[in-house]
Amino acid sequence: MYKRRRIHAVSKAEFVASYGTFSQIPPCNSMEIAFAGRSNVGKSTLINKIFQRKSLARVSAVPGKTATINFYRLDPLTIVDLPGYGYAKVAKSEKARWSGLISGYLGADRDLRLILLLIDMRHAPSKDDIQMIDFLVESELPFLIVLTKADKLNRTERTKRMKAFETEIPYFSQIHVIPFSAVTREGVEAVQGVLEEIASEPGEELDAHADETEEKL
Protein backbone atom coordinates (compact mmCIF):
# COMPACT_ATOMS: atom_id res chain seq x y z
CA MET A 1 0.00 0.00 0.00
CA TYR A 2 1.49 3.33 -1.00
CA LYS A 3 0.98 6.59 0.83
CA ARG A 4 -1.15 8.91 -1.30
CA ARG A 5 -0.11 12.54 -1.62
CA ARG A 6 -3.15 14.76 -1.55
CA ILE A 7 -3.31 17.81 -3.74
CA HIS A 8 -3.64 21.18 -2.09
CA ALA A 9 -7.18 22.56 -1.81
CA VAL A 10 -8.38 22.91 -5.39
CA SER A 11 -9.11 26.60 -4.82
CA LYS A 12 -5.36 27.13 -4.27
CA ALA A 13 -4.53 26.52 -7.93
CA GLU A 14 -2.46 29.37 -9.34
CA PHE A 15 -1.68 30.58 -12.84
CA VAL A 16 2.01 30.10 -13.71
CA ALA A 17 2.63 31.24 -17.28
CA SER A 18 1.49 31.21 -20.92
CA TYR A 19 3.64 30.24 -23.87
CA GLY A 20 3.04 31.01 -27.53
CA THR A 21 5.60 28.62 -29.00
CA PHE A 22 6.78 25.21 -27.87
CA SER A 23 10.41 26.34 -27.65
CA GLN A 24 9.46 28.74 -24.85
CA ILE A 25 8.14 26.00 -22.57
CA PRO A 26 10.54 25.16 -19.71
CA PRO A 27 11.48 21.56 -18.90
CA CYS A 28 9.00 19.47 -16.95
CA ASN A 29 9.57 19.39 -13.18
CA SER A 30 6.37 17.78 -11.89
CA MET A 31 3.52 15.48 -12.83
CA GLU A 32 1.37 17.10 -15.51
CA ILE A 33 -2.29 16.79 -16.48
CA ALA A 34 -3.38 18.33 -19.78
CA PHE A 35 -6.78 19.56 -20.93
CA ALA A 36 -7.50 19.47 -24.68
CA GLY A 37 -10.48 20.08 -26.93
CA ARG A 38 -12.04 22.14 -29.67
CA SER A 39 -12.35 25.88 -29.41
CA ASN A 40 -15.49 26.83 -27.49
CA VAL A 41 -15.90 23.35 -25.96
CA GLY A 42 -15.74 24.87 -22.48
CA LYS A 43 -12.18 24.18 -21.29
CA SER A 44 -11.78 27.47 -19.44
CA THR A 45 -15.20 27.12 -17.84
CA LEU A 46 -14.38 23.58 -16.70
CA ILE A 47 -11.03 24.61 -15.26
CA ASN A 48 -12.62 27.45 -13.31
CA LYS A 49 -15.37 25.20 -12.00
CA ILE A 50 -13.17 22.33 -10.80
CA PHE A 51 -10.76 24.76 -9.15
CA GLN A 52 -13.62 26.76 -7.63
CA ARG A 53 -12.42 30.02 -9.13
CA LYS A 54 -14.31 32.51 -11.28
CA SER A 55 -11.45 33.67 -13.44
CA LEU A 56 -8.44 31.38 -13.00
CA ALA A 57 -8.77 30.59 -16.70
CA ARG A 58 -10.12 33.37 -18.86
CA VAL A 59 -13.40 32.50 -20.55
CA SER A 60 -13.50 34.12 -23.97
CA ALA A 61 -16.65 34.98 -25.88
CA VAL A 62 -14.63 34.63 -29.08
CA PRO A 63 -13.86 31.02 -30.17
CA GLY A 64 -10.21 30.41 -30.97
CA LYS A 65 -9.01 33.15 -28.66
CA THR A 66 -6.92 30.83 -26.49
CA ALA A 67 -3.81 30.64 -28.65
CA THR A 68 -1.28 29.75 -25.98
CA ILE A 69 -0.44 26.84 -23.72
CA ASN A 70 -1.37 27.94 -20.22
CA PHE A 71 0.22 26.38 -17.14
CA TYR A 72 -1.32 26.29 -13.66
CA ARG A 73 0.14 24.92 -10.43
CA LEU A 74 -1.75 22.82 -7.92
CA ASP A 75 0.96 21.17 -5.85
CA PRO A 76 2.10 18.47 -6.58
CA LEU A 77 0.51 18.76 -10.03
CA THR A 78 0.93 21.06 -13.00
CA ILE A 79 -2.26 21.64 -14.99
CA VAL A 80 -1.74 22.33 -18.69
CA ASP A 81 -4.45 24.02 -20.78
CA LEU A 82 -3.72 23.33 -24.45
CA PRO A 83 -4.92 25.72 -27.18
CA GLY A 84 -8.40 25.01 -28.51
CA TYR A 85 -8.27 23.44 -31.95
CA GLY A 86 -10.61 23.35 -34.93
CA TYR A 87 -11.64 27.00 -35.21
CA ALA A 88 -11.93 27.85 -38.89
CA LYS A 89 -11.77 31.64 -38.87
CA VAL A 90 -8.06 32.08 -38.32
CA ALA A 91 -5.12 32.27 -40.70
CA LYS A 92 -3.44 29.05 -41.79
CA SER A 93 -0.20 30.26 -40.24
CA GLU A 94 -1.95 30.67 -36.89
CA LYS A 95 -3.49 27.21 -37.15
CA ALA A 96 -0.04 25.82 -37.89
CA ARG A 97 1.35 27.52 -34.79
CA TRP A 98 -1.41 26.09 -32.60
CA SER A 99 -0.85 22.64 -34.09
CA GLY A 100 2.86 22.92 -33.38
CA LEU A 101 2.16 23.88 -29.79
CA ILE A 102 -0.15 20.92 -29.22
CA SER A 103 1.87 18.29 -31.07
CA GLY A 104 5.14 19.61 -29.64
CA TYR A 105 3.85 19.38 -26.10
CA LEU A 106 2.20 15.96 -26.49
CA GLY A 107 5.28 14.56 -28.21
CA ALA A 108 7.77 15.86 -25.68
CA ASP A 109 9.44 13.85 -22.94
CA ARG A 110 7.36 15.11 -20.02
CA ASP A 111 5.78 13.49 -16.99
CA LEU A 112 2.35 13.65 -18.60
CA ARG A 113 0.06 11.47 -16.51
CA LEU A 114 -3.27 12.06 -18.24
CA ILE A 115 -5.02 14.07 -20.96
CA LEU A 116 -8.61 15.10 -20.37
CA LEU A 117 -10.13 15.43 -23.84
CA LEU A 118 -13.24 17.60 -23.84
CA ILE A 119 -16.03 16.95 -26.37
CA ASP A 120 -19.35 18.79 -26.56
CA MET A 121 -21.99 16.27 -25.50
CA ARG A 122 -24.63 17.87 -27.74
CA HIS A 123 -22.92 17.03 -31.01
CA ALA A 124 -21.10 14.29 -32.85
CA PRO A 125 -17.32 14.59 -32.42
CA SER A 126 -15.65 16.70 -35.08
CA LYS A 127 -13.01 15.49 -37.51
CA ASP A 128 -10.43 17.20 -35.31
CA ASP A 129 -11.74 15.36 -32.23
CA ILE A 130 -11.39 12.02 -34.00
CA GLN A 131 -7.90 12.91 -35.18
CA MET A 132 -6.94 13.78 -31.61
CA ILE A 133 -8.32 10.49 -30.28
CA ASP A 134 -6.47 8.54 -32.97
CA PHE A 135 -3.26 10.43 -32.14
CA LEU A 136 -3.58 9.73 -28.42
CA VAL A 137 -4.27 6.05 -29.02
CA GLU A 138 -1.41 5.65 -31.50
CA SER A 139 0.95 7.53 -29.19
CA GLU A 140 -0.16 5.38 -26.24
CA LEU A 141 -0.91 8.48 -24.19
CA PRO A 142 -3.36 7.93 -21.30
CA PHE A 143 -6.56 9.90 -21.67
CA LEU A 144 -10.20 10.09 -20.74
CA ILE A 145 -13.09 11.99 -22.28
CA VAL A 146 -15.10 14.72 -20.56
CA LEU A 147 -18.46 15.34 -22.24
CA THR A 148 -19.18 19.02 -21.63
CA LYS A 149 -22.46 20.97 -21.56
CA ALA A 150 -24.41 17.93 -20.36
CA ASP A 151 -27.12 20.20 -18.92
CA LYS A 152 -28.08 21.32 -22.43
CA LEU A 153 -29.68 17.95 -23.17
CA ASN A 154 -32.85 16.45 -21.75
CA ARG A 155 -32.90 12.80 -20.71
CA THR A 156 -34.05 11.50 -24.09
CA GLU A 157 -31.53 13.58 -26.03
CA ARG A 158 -28.77 12.53 -23.69
CA THR A 159 -29.58 8.83 -24.10
CA LYS A 160 -29.53 9.22 -27.89
CA ARG A 161 -26.20 11.04 -27.88
CA MET A 162 -24.56 8.47 -25.61
CA LYS A 163 -25.77 5.70 -27.90
CA ALA A 164 -24.49 7.57 -30.94
CA PHE A 165 -21.06 8.08 -29.37
CA GLU A 166 -20.64 4.29 -29.34
CA THR A 167 -20.24 4.35 -33.11
CA GLU A 168 -18.93 7.90 -33.56
CA ILE A 169 -15.95 7.67 -31.20
CA PRO A 170 -13.32 4.96 -31.72
CA TYR A 171 -12.92 2.63 -28.72
CA PHE A 172 -15.70 4.51 -26.91
CA SER A 173 -16.70 1.54 -24.75
CA GLN A 174 -13.09 1.24 -23.56
CA ILE A 175 -12.60 4.90 -22.65
CA HIS A 176 -13.41 6.32 -19.25
CA VAL A 177 -16.05 9.03 -19.82
CA ILE A 178 -17.22 11.78 -17.47
CA PRO A 179 -20.37 13.79 -18.35
CA PHE A 180 -19.85 17.35 -17.16
CA SER A 181 -21.90 20.48 -16.56
CA ALA A 182 -20.68 23.74 -15.09
CA VAL A 183 -24.33 24.65 -14.45
CA THR A 184 -25.46 21.59 -12.46
CA ARG A 185 -21.93 20.65 -11.26
CA GLU A 186 -22.33 17.15 -12.66
CA GLY A 187 -18.89 15.65 -13.05
CA VAL A 188 -17.08 18.27 -10.97
CA GLU A 189 -16.27 15.89 -8.13
CA ALA A 190 -15.39 13.13 -10.61
CA VAL A 191 -12.76 15.31 -12.30
CA GLN A 192 -11.45 16.50 -8.92
CA GLY A 193 -11.20 12.84 -7.92
CA VAL A 194 -9.05 12.11 -10.96
CA LEU A 195 -6.66 14.87 -9.90
CA GLU A 196 -6.51 13.43 -6.38
CA GLU A 197 -5.65 9.98 -7.69
CA ILE A 198 -2.90 11.22 -9.99
CA ALA A 199 -1.40 13.19 -7.12
CA SER A 200 -0.23 9.86 -5.63
CA GLU A 201 3.45 9.15 -5.20
CA PRO A 202 5.44 9.62 -8.44
CA GLY A 203 6.16 6.30 -10.08
CA GLU A 204 3.02 4.62 -8.80
CA GLU A 205 0.55 3.34 -11.33
CA LEU A 206 -2.54 5.41 -11.88
CA ASP A 207 -5.71 3.66 -10.84
CA ALA A 208 -8.92 3.01 -12.74
CA HIS A 209 -9.59 6.46 -14.18
CA ALA A 210 -6.38 6.52 -16.23
CA ASP A 211 -4.89 3.03 -15.98
CA GLU A 212 -7.95 1.28 -17.33
CA THR A 213 -8.01 3.42 -20.46
CA GLU A 214 -4.28 3.08 -21.09
CA GLU A 215 -4.31 -0.69 -20.71
CA LYS A 216 -7.35 -1.24 -22.92
CA LEU A 217 -6.16 1.07 -25.65
Short mmCIF file of all heavy atoms in Angstrom, two decimals, residues 115-161:
data_model
loop_
_atom_site.label_atom_id
_atom_site.label_comp_id
_atom_site.label_asym_id
_atom_site.label_seq_id
_atom_site.Cartn_x
_atom_site.Cartn_y
_atom_site.Cartn_z
N ILE A 115 -4.38 13.01 -20.17
CA ILE A 115 -5.02 14.07 -20.96
C ILE A 115 -6.51 13.95 -20.77
O ILE A 115 -7.08 12.86 -20.92
CB ILE A 115 -4.67 13.98 -22.46
CG1 ILE A 115 -3.18 14.11 -22.68
CG2 ILE A 115 -5.43 15.03 -23.26
CD1 ILE A 115 -2.49 12.81 -22.95
N LEU A 116 -7.16 15.05 -20.42
CA LEU A 116 -8.61 15.10 -20.37
C LEU A 116 -9.07 15.74 -21.67
O LEU A 116 -8.83 16.94 -21.90
CB LEU A 116 -9.11 15.90 -19.17
CG LEU A 116 -9.10 15.17 -17.82
CD1 LEU A 116 -7.68 15.06 -17.29
CD2 LEU A 116 -9.98 15.87 -16.80
N LEU A 117 -9.67 14.95 -22.55
CA LEU A 117 -10.13 15.43 -23.84
C LEU A 117 -11.59 15.82 -23.74
O LEU A 117 -12.45 14.98 -23.46
CB LEU A 117 -9.94 14.35 -24.91
CG LEU A 117 -10.44 14.70 -26.32
CD1 LEU A 117 -9.71 15.93 -26.87
CD2 LEU A 117 -10.26 13.52 -27.26
N LEU A 118 -11.88 17.09 -23.97
CA LEU A 118 -13.24 17.60 -23.84
C LEU A 118 -13.96 17.56 -25.18
O LEU A 118 -13.42 17.99 -26.22
CB LEU A 118 -13.23 19.05 -23.34
CG LEU A 118 -13.08 19.26 -21.82
CD1 LEU A 118 -11.77 18.67 -21.31
CD2 LEU A 118 -13.18 20.73 -21.47
N ILE A 119 -15.18 17.02 -25.17
CA ILE A 119 -16.03 16.95 -26.37
C ILE A 119 -17.42 17.43 -25.97
O ILE A 119 -17.94 17.06 -24.92
CB ILE A 119 -16.09 15.52 -26.93
CG1 ILE A 119 -14.70 15.08 -27.43
CG2 ILE A 119 -17.13 15.39 -28.04
CD1 ILE A 119 -14.64 13.64 -27.92
N ASP A 120 -18.01 18.26 -26.80
CA ASP A 120 -19.35 18.79 -26.56
C ASP A 120 -20.36 17.65 -26.65
O ASP A 120 -20.49 17.00 -27.69
CB ASP A 120 -19.68 19.87 -27.59
CG ASP A 120 -20.93 20.66 -27.26
OD1 ASP A 120 -21.87 20.10 -26.68
OD2 ASP A 120 -20.98 21.85 -27.63
N MET A 121 -21.07 17.40 -25.56
CA MET A 121 -21.99 16.27 -25.50
C MET A 121 -23.15 16.41 -26.47
O MET A 121 -23.78 15.42 -26.86
CB MET A 121 -22.53 16.13 -24.08
CG MET A 121 -23.27 14.83 -23.81
SD MET A 121 -23.80 14.74 -22.08
CE MET A 121 -24.17 13.00 -21.94
N ARG A 122 -23.46 17.62 -26.90
CA ARG A 122 -24.63 17.87 -27.74
C ARG A 122 -24.45 17.42 -29.18
O ARG A 122 -25.43 17.24 -29.91
CB ARG A 122 -24.98 19.35 -27.73
CG ARG A 122 -25.31 19.92 -26.36
CD ARG A 122 -25.44 21.42 -26.43
NE ARG A 122 -24.18 22.05 -26.82
CZ ARG A 122 -24.05 23.36 -27.06
NH1 ARG A 122 -25.09 24.17 -26.95
NH2 ARG A 122 -22.86 23.85 -27.40
N HIS A 123 -23.19 17.25 -29.59
CA HIS A 123 -22.92 17.03 -31.01
C HIS A 123 -22.01 15.82 -31.24
O HIS A 123 -21.29 15.39 -30.33
CB HIS A 123 -22.25 18.27 -31.61
CG HIS A 123 -22.95 19.55 -31.32
ND1 HIS A 123 -24.24 19.80 -31.75
CD2 HIS A 123 -22.56 20.64 -30.61
CE1 HIS A 123 -24.60 21.02 -31.34
NE2 HIS A 123 -23.61 21.54 -30.64
N ALA A 124 -22.04 15.33 -32.46
CA ALA A 124 -21.10 14.29 -32.85
C ALA A 124 -19.69 14.87 -32.80
O ALA A 124 -19.50 16.07 -33.04
CB ALA A 124 -21.41 13.79 -34.26
N PRO A 125 -18.70 14.07 -32.46
CA PRO A 125 -17.32 14.59 -32.42
C PRO A 125 -16.90 15.07 -33.80
O PRO A 125 -17.28 14.51 -34.83
CB PRO A 125 -16.50 13.38 -31.97
CG PRO A 125 -17.35 12.19 -32.31
CD PRO A 125 -18.75 12.64 -32.14
N SER A 126 -16.12 16.14 -33.83
CA SER A 126 -15.65 16.70 -35.08
C SER A 126 -14.52 15.85 -35.66
O SER A 126 -13.98 14.96 -34.99
CB SER A 126 -15.14 18.12 -34.86
OG SER A 126 -13.95 18.09 -34.07
N LYS A 127 -14.15 16.16 -36.88
CA LYS A 127 -13.01 15.49 -37.51
C LYS A 127 -11.75 15.70 -36.68
O LYS A 127 -10.94 14.78 -36.51
CB LYS A 127 -12.81 16.03 -38.93
CG LYS A 127 -11.64 15.41 -39.68
CD LYS A 127 -11.51 16.01 -41.06
CE LYS A 127 -10.30 15.43 -41.80
NZ LYS A 127 -10.15 16.03 -43.16
N ASP A 128 -11.60 16.90 -36.14
CA ASP A 128 -10.43 17.20 -35.31
C ASP A 128 -10.44 16.39 -34.02
O ASP A 128 -9.39 15.94 -33.55
CB ASP A 128 -10.39 18.70 -34.98
CG ASP A 128 -10.15 19.56 -36.20
OD1 ASP A 128 -9.13 19.36 -36.88
OD2 ASP A 128 -11.00 20.40 -36.50
N ASP A 129 -11.63 16.20 -33.44
CA ASP A 129 -11.74 15.36 -32.23
C ASP A 129 -11.29 13.93 -32.52
O ASP A 129 -10.54 13.34 -31.74
CB ASP A 129 -13.19 15.33 -31.72
CG ASP A 129 -13.65 16.66 -31.14
OD1 ASP A 129 -12.83 17.37 -30.54
OD2 ASP A 129 -14.84 16.98 -31.30
N ILE A 130 -11.76 13.39 -33.63
CA ILE A 130 -11.39 12.02 -34.00
C ILE A 130 -9.90 11.91 -34.26
O ILE A 130 -9.25 10.94 -33.85
CB ILE A 130 -12.19 11.55 -35.23
CG1 ILE A 130 -13.69 11.57 -34.94
CG2 ILE A 130 -11.75 10.16 -35.66
CD1 ILE A 130 -14.11 10.68 -33.78
N GLN A 131 -9.34 12.92 -34.93
CA GLN A 131 -7.90 12.91 -35.18
C GLN A 131 -7.12 12.94 -33.87
O GLN A 131 -6.09 12.27 -33.73
CB GLN A 131 -7.50 14.10 -36.07
CG GLN A 131 -7.95 13.97 -37.51
CD GLN A 131 -7.57 15.18 -38.34
OE1 GLN A 131 -7.28 16.26 -37.82
NE2 GLN A 131 -7.57 15.01 -39.66
N MET A 132 -7.61 13.72 -32.91
CA MET A 132 -6.94 13.78 -31.61
C MET A 132 -7.01 12.43 -30.90
O MET A 132 -6.02 11.95 -30.34
CB MET A 132 -7.57 14.87 -30.74
CG MET A 132 -6.99 14.96 -29.33
SD MET A 132 -5.22 15.37 -29.28
CE MET A 132 -5.32 17.15 -29.52
N ILE A 133 -8.18 11.80 -30.91
CA ILE A 133 -8.32 10.49 -30.28
C ILE A 133 -7.38 9.48 -30.93
O ILE A 133 -6.68 8.72 -30.24
CB ILE A 133 -9.78 10.00 -30.35
CG1 ILE A 133 -10.67 10.88 -29.46
CG2 ILE A 133 -9.89 8.54 -29.94
CD1 ILE A 133 -12.16 10.64 -29.66
N ASP A 134 -7.36 9.46 -32.26
CA ASP A 134 -6.47 8.54 -32.97
C ASP A 134 -5.01 8.79 -32.60
O ASP A 134 -4.23 7.85 -32.39
CB ASP A 134 -6.65 8.68 -34.48
CG ASP A 134 -7.96 8.09 -34.98
OD1 ASP A 134 -8.55 7.26 -34.27
OD2 ASP A 134 -8.41 8.47 -36.08
N PHE A 135 -4.64 10.07 -32.51
CA PHE A 135 -3.26 10.43 -32.14
C PHE A 135 -2.92 9.94 -30.74
O PHE A 135 -1.85 9.37 -30.52
CB PHE A 135 -3.07 11.94 -32.23
CG PHE A 135 -1.73 12.42 -31.71
CD1 PHE A 135 -0.61 12.35 -32.51
CD2 PHE A 135 -1.61 12.91 -30.42
CE1 PHE A 135 0.63 12.77 -32.04
CE2 PHE A 135 -0.38 13.32 -29.93
CZ PHE A 135 0.74 13.26 -30.74
N LEU A 136 -3.83 10.14 -29.80
CA LEU A 136 -3.58 9.73 -28.42
C LEU A 136 -3.46 8.21 -28.30
O LEU A 136 -2.60 7.70 -27.58
CB LEU A 136 -4.69 10.24 -27.50
CG LEU A 136 -4.81 11.77 -27.37
CD1 LEU A 136 -6.04 12.14 -26.54
CD2 LEU A 136 -3.55 12.35 -26.76
N VAL A 137 -4.32 7.51 -29.04
CA VAL A 137 -4.27 6.05 -29.02
C VAL A 137 -2.96 5.55 -29.64
O VAL A 137 -2.26 4.71 -29.06
CB VAL A 137 -5.48 5.45 -29.76
CG1 VAL A 137 -5.31 3.94 -29.92
CG2 VAL A 137 -6.77 5.76 -29.02
N GLU A 138 -2.63 6.08 -30.81
CA GLU A 138 -1.41 5.65 -31.50
C GLU A 138 -0.15 5.99 -30.70
O GLU A 138 0.84 5.25 -30.74
CB GLU A 138 -1.34 6.29 -32.89
CG GLU A 138 -2.41 5.77 -33.84
CD GLU A 138 -2.50 6.58 -35.13
OE1 GLU A 138 -1.65 7.49 -35.31
OE2 GLU A 138 -3.40 6.31 -35.93
N SER A 139 -0.20 7.10 -29.98
CA SER A 139 0.95 7.53 -29.19
C SER A 139 0.99 6.87 -27.82
O SER A 139 1.92 7.10 -27.05
CB SER A 139 0.94 9.05 -29.02
OG SER A 139 0.94 9.71 -30.27
N GLU A 140 -0.04 6.07 -27.52
CA GLU A 140 -0.16 5.38 -26.24
C GLU A 140 -0.12 6.36 -25.07
O GLU A 140 0.48 6.09 -24.02
CB GLU A 140 0.94 4.32 -26.09
CG GLU A 140 0.84 3.23 -27.17
CD GLU A 140 1.86 2.12 -26.97
OE1 GLU A 140 2.81 2.31 -26.16
OE2 GLU A 140 1.72 1.07 -27.60
N LEU A 141 -0.80 7.49 -25.25
CA LEU A 141 -0.91 8.48 -24.19
C LEU A 141 -2.21 8.23 -23.41
O LEU A 141 -3.26 8.06 -24.01
CB LEU A 141 -0.93 9.90 -24.78
CG LEU A 141 0.39 10.37 -25.40
CD1 LEU A 141 0.19 11.68 -26.14
CD2 LEU A 141 1.46 10.53 -24.31
N PRO A 142 -2.15 8.20 -22.09
CA PRO A 142 -3.36 7.93 -21.30
C PRO A 142 -4.32 9.11 -21.37
O PRO A 142 -3.91 10.26 -21.21
CB PRO A 142 -2.81 7.73 -19.88
CG PRO A 142 -1.55 8.52 -19.86
CD PRO A 142 -0.97 8.41 -21.24
N PHE A 143 -5.59 8.82 -21.60
CA PHE A 143 -6.56 9.90 -21.67
C PHE A 143 -7.93 9.40 -21.26
O PHE A 143 -8.22 8.20 -21.25
CB PHE A 143 -6.62 10.49 -23.08
CG PHE A 143 -7.28 9.63 -24.12
CD1 PHE A 143 -8.61 9.85 -24.48
CD2 PHE A 143 -6.60 8.59 -24.74
CE1 PHE A 143 -9.24 9.07 -25.43
CE2 PHE A 143 -7.21 7.80 -25.71
CZ PHE A 143 -8.55 8.04 -26.04
N LEU A 144 -8.78 10.35 -20.92
CA LEU A 144 -10.20 10.09 -20.74
C LEU A 144 -10.96 11.19 -21.46
O LEU A 144 -10.37 12.18 -21.91
CB LEU A 144 -10.57 9.97 -19.26
CG LEU A 144 -10.31 11.14 -18.31
CD1 LEU A 144 -11.31 12.27 -18.49
CD2 LEU A 144 -10.35 10.66 -16.86
N ILE A 145 -12.26 11.01 -21.59
CA ILE A 145 -13.09 11.99 -22.28
C ILE A 145 -14.05 12.65 -21.29
O ILE A 145 -14.68 11.95 -20.49
CB ILE A 145 -13.89 11.34 -23.43
CG1 ILE A 145 -12.94 10.95 -24.57
CG2 ILE A 145 -14.99 12.28 -23.95
CD1 ILE A 145 -13.62 10.22 -25.72
N VAL A 146 -14.12 13.96 -21.34
CA VAL A 146 -15.10 14.72 -20.56
C VAL A 146 -16.13 15.27 -21.55
O VAL A 146 -15.78 16.00 -22.48
CB VAL A 146 -14.45 15.88 -19.79
CG1 VAL A 146 -15.51 16.65 -19.00
CG2 VAL A 146 -13.38 15.35 -18.83
N LEU A 147 -17.38 14.87 -21.37
CA LEU A 147 -18.46 15.34 -22.24
C LEU A 147 -19.07 16.60 -21.62
O LEU A 147 -19.78 16.53 -20.62
CB LEU A 147 -19.52 14.26 -22.42
CG LEU A 147 -19.04 12.98 -23.13
CD1 LEU A 147 -20.13 11.92 -23.12
CD2 LEU A 147 -18.62 13.29 -24.57
N THR A 148 -18.76 17.75 -22.21
CA THR A 148 -19.18 19.02 -21.63
C THR A 148 -20.62 19.40 -22.03
O THR A 148 -21.19 18.82 -22.94
CB THR A 148 -18.24 20.15 -22.08
OG1 THR A 148 -18.31 20.30 -23.50
CG2 THR A 148 -16.80 19.84 -21.67
N LYS A 149 -21.15 20.38 -21.29
CA LYS A 149 -22.46 20.97 -21.56
C LYS A 149 -23.59 19.94 -21.47
O LYS A 149 -24.58 20.00 -22.21
CB LYS A 149 -22.46 21.68 -22.92
CG LYS A 149 -21.29 22.68 -23.05
CD LYS A 149 -21.30 23.46 -24.34
CE LYS A 149 -20.07 24.37 -24.41
NZ LYS A 149 -20.03 25.20 -25.62
N ALA A 150 -23.42 19.00 -20.53
CA ALA A 150 -24.41 17.93 -20.36
C ALA A 150 -25.79 18.48 -19.99
O ALA A 150 -26.81 17.85 -20.29
CB ALA A 150 -23.93 16.94 -19.29
N ASP A 151 -25.84 19.63 -19.34
CA ASP A 151 -27.12 20.20 -18.92
C ASP A 151 -27.96 20.70 -20.08
O ASP A 151 -29.16 20.97 -19.92
CB ASP A 151 -26.88 21.37 -17.96
CG ASP A 151 -26.03 22.48 -18.59
OD1 ASP A 151 -24.81 22.28 -18.71
OD2 ASP A 151 -26.58 23.52 -18.99
N LYS A 152 -27.36 20.82 -21.26
CA LYS A 152 -28.08 21.32 -22.43
C LYS A 152 -29.00 20.27 -23.06
O LYS A 152 -29.79 20.59 -23.95
CB LYS A 152 -27.09 21.82 -23.50
CG LYS A 152 -26.12 22.89 -23.01
CD LYS A 152 -26.82 24.17 -22.66
CE LYS A 152 -25.81 25.26 -22.29
NZ LYS A 152 -26.47 26.52 -21.89
N LEU A 153 -28.89 19.03 -22.61
CA LEU A 153 -29.68 17.95 -23.17
C LEU A 153 -30.70 17.44 -22.16
O LEU A 153 -30.38 17.32 -20.97
CB LEU A 153 -28.78 16.78 -23.59
CG LEU A 153 -27.71 17.07 -24.65
CD1 LEU A 153 -26.85 15.83 -24.88
CD2 LEU A 153 -28.34 17.52 -25.95
N ASN A 154 -31.90 17.11 -22.64
CA ASN A 154 -32.85 16.45 -21.75
C ASN A 154 -32.52 14.96 -21.70
O ASN A 154 -31.60 14.49 -22.39
CB ASN A 154 -34.30 16.69 -22.18
CG ASN A 154 -34.62 16.16 -23.58
OD1 ASN A 154 -34.11 15.11 -23.98
ND2 ASN A 154 -35.44 16.87 -24.33
N ARG A 155 -33.24 14.21 -20.92
CA ARG A 155 -32.90 12.80 -20.71
C ARG A 155 -32.92 12.01 -22.01
O ARG A 155 -32.03 11.20 -22.28
CB ARG A 155 -33.86 12.18 -19.69
CG ARG A 155 -33.53 10.73 -19.36
CD ARG A 155 -34.44 10.19 -18.28
NE ARG A 155 -34.30 10.93 -17.03
CZ ARG A 155 -34.99 10.65 -15.93
NH1 ARG A 155 -35.87 9.65 -15.94
NH2 ARG A 155 -34.80 11.35 -14.84
N THR A 156 -33.95 12.23 -22.84
CA THR A 156 -34.05 11.50 -24.09
C THR A 156 -32.91 11.85 -25.03
O THR A 156 -32.28 10.96 -25.65
CB THR A 156 -35.40 11.80 -24.78
OG1 THR A 156 -36.46 11.39 -23.92
CG2 THR A 156 -35.51 11.04 -26.10
N GLU A 157 -32.62 13.14 -25.16
CA GLU A 157 -31.53 13.58 -26.03
C GLU A 157 -30.19 13.04 -25.55
O GLU A 157 -29.34 12.63 -26.36
CB GLU A 157 -31.49 15.11 -26.07
CG GLU A 157 -32.69 15.74 -26.75
CD GLU A 157 -32.76 17.24 -26.54
OE1 GLU A 157 -32.21 17.74 -25.52
OE2 GLU A 157 -33.37 17.93 -27.37
N ARG A 158 -30.02 13.02 -24.25
CA ARG A 158 -28.77 12.53 -23.69
C ARG A 158 -28.58 11.04 -23.98
O ARG A 158 -27.48 10.60 -24.36
CB ARG A 158 -28.76 12.78 -22.19
CG ARG A 158 -27.53 12.28 -21.47
CD ARG A 158 -27.51 12.83 -20.07
NE ARG A 158 -26.41 12.29 -19.29
CZ ARG A 158 -25.89 12.89 -18.24
NH1 ARG A 158 -26.37 14.05 -17.84
NH2 ARG A 158 -24.89 12.34 -17.58
N THR A 159 -29.65 10.27 -23.82
CA THR A 159 -29.58 8.83 -24.10
C THR A 159 -29.21 8.59 -25.56
O THR A 159 -28.38 7.72 -25.88
CB THR A 159 -30.91 8.16 -23.77
OG1 THR A 159 -31.20 8.33 -22.38
CG2 THR A 159 -30.86 6.67 -24.09
N LYS A 160 -29.80 9.36 -26.46
CA LYS A 160 -29.53 9.22 -27.89
C LYS A 160 -28.08 9.57 -28.22
O LYS A 160 -27.43 8.87 -29.00
CB LYS A 160 -30.49 10.11 -28.70
CG LYS A 160 -31.92 9.62 -28.70
CD LYS A 160 -32.85 10.59 -29.43
CE LYS A 160 -32.51 10.70 -30.90
NZ LYS A 160 -33.48 11.57 -31.62
N ARG A 161 -27.57 10.65 -27.60
CA ARG A 161 -26.20 11.04 -27.88
C ARG A 161 -25.22 9.99 -27.35
O ARG A 161 -24.23 9.66 -28.02
CB ARG A 161 -25.88 12.39 -27.23
CG ARG A 161 -26.44 13.61 -27.94
CD ARG A 161 -26.03 13.74 -29.40
NE ARG A 161 -24.66 13.40 -29.66
CZ ARG A 161 -24.25 12.75 -30.74
NH1 ARG A 161 -25.11 12.35 -31.66
NH2 ARG A 161 -22.98 12.50 -30.92
#
